[in-house]
Each structure stands twice: as structure tokens, then as C-alpha cells.
Amino acid sequence: MRTFIYFTVSFFVLASVSCQSSPDYVTVQESKLDKYKIASIKQLGHEILTAQKNNGYYSLTKKQATTQMIEGLNESVQKASYKKIKSLFGDYEDLQFKSLLRGLSGEKYMIYRFKGNFKTDADIEVRMVFNEEEKLAGFFIKPWNESL
């Protein structure tokens, strides 16, 4: 049953949760991807998970994340979350970019999907969601699924 375990590292804005499987998102074509922005976002995810792996936490700034994310992904949540992540998937190792989805209506979130490399052989998704202000609005770690 562990393959069905859905572990949310932080909460997500209610509107975006209801749209995760909505057709209101399209995959951004590879030719239109901003490689530098993807590298920057990948680095942020890597820093968050590496800090947690090293028994610390990553302090998000107002420039990087929404107020809800800053408050929701605090030190105690990060430390408790990483313990659960480690028990399910093993220690974090690295991220590999897989795709970017763009919202078409309402809150136009950008959903960056990474394959997370952990000690286990499980296919893990690290999903980072950014709002229109380019601030982190969601951070999820869950078993990989080709669709949202």
C-alpha cells in the first residue's frame, strides 16, 4: 500500500489543489523552456532537501516564497517531513528536471516536475509550484505518476 501513500511536504493553495488534474494546464514545449530558470528552481529544491538531509532546514525568504509557504514550511515541519521522506524513500540524493506545466486560467501556476533521486529505487516526484509572482507556492514529494 506504500505506493499509494501521498506525502505532502507542505500545503498548497486550495485553488491550485483543485486544478492539479484539470485540463487547464499545458506542458511547456522544450523549445520554450528557460534553462536558467529551471536550473535556479532545481537549485532551490536541492538546497531545501539537502538542508533537511543534513538535519537542518532551509529558511525561505519573502523573495522566494509566498507567506503561506514560509509559514507552512517552517523548521519543525521540514524536520518532521524529512524523517517521513527518509523512512519511505531513503536519503535524498539529487533532482532531474522532467517537465513544466503552465496554468491557462485562474491562478496561473507554473508546475515544475522533477524526478527525485533517493536511496530507494522508487520513482519519486519532487513538484515545485510557483505563482504568477514567481514565488514558491507548493512543494510536494510523492510517488511518480506520468500525469498530474
Side-chain angles (χ1 to χ4, degrees):
M1 240 20 226
R2 282 192 177 217
T3 57
F4 293 106
I5 294 175
Y6 177 80
F7 183 72
T8 303
V9 175
S10 184
F11 59 91
F12 196 19
V13 179
L14 201 58
S16 64
V17 169
S18 64
C19 295
Q20 281 188 15
S21 60
S22 168
D24 290 344
Y25 287 89
V26 294
T27 301
V28 176
Q29 296 175 1
E30 190 171 342
S31 63
K32 296 187 179 193
L33 294 174
D34 181 340
K35 304 286 186 195
Y36 295 106
K37 181 170 282 209
I38 291 168
S40 174
I41 290 168
K42 177 182 175 181
Q43 184 62 32
L44 176 60
H46 179 73
E47 289 175 6
I48 291 169
L49 289 166
T50 299
Q52 294 174 4
K53 176 183 175 179
N54 294 329
N55 204 29
Y57 86 104
Y58 186 88
S59 181
L60 293 165
T61 68
K62 289 183 179 184
K63 184 177 178 182
Q64 294 172 310
T66 64
T67 301
Q68 293 89 347
M69 278 300 298
I70 293 169
E71 292 171 359
L73 204 54
N74 59 45
E75 181 175 6
S76 62
V77 168
Q78 287 188 44
K79 287 184 176 183
S81 296
Y82 192 78
K83 281 184 181 181
K84 184 70 171 173
I85 292 166
K86 185 176 178 179
S87 74
L88 293 171
F89 311 123
D91 266 326
Y92 164 75
E93 294 177 343
D94 196 19
L95 296 173
Q96 179 185 10
F97 176 75
K98 284 301 188 182
S99 64
L100 171 61
L101 289 90
R102 178 176 48 86
L104 298 173
S105 62
E107 290 274 350
K108 295 182 180 167
Y109 291 101
M110 301 294 284
I111 302 172
Y112 293 82
R113 299 182 75 204
F114 297 88
K115 279 259 181 129
N117 297 319
F118 291 79
K119 285 286 185 191
T120 65
D121 290 335
D123 286 337
I124 307 302
E125 177 180 357
V126 176
R127 185 181 300 179
M128 299 176 68
V129 181
F130 287 79
N131 66 12
E132 291 179 284
E133 297 172 349
E134 298 185 358
K135 292 184 177 185
L136 183 66
F139 188 82
F140 300 90
I141 297 174
K142 56 186 243 154
W144 182 267
N145 189 336
E146 289 301 322
S147 65
L148 286 182

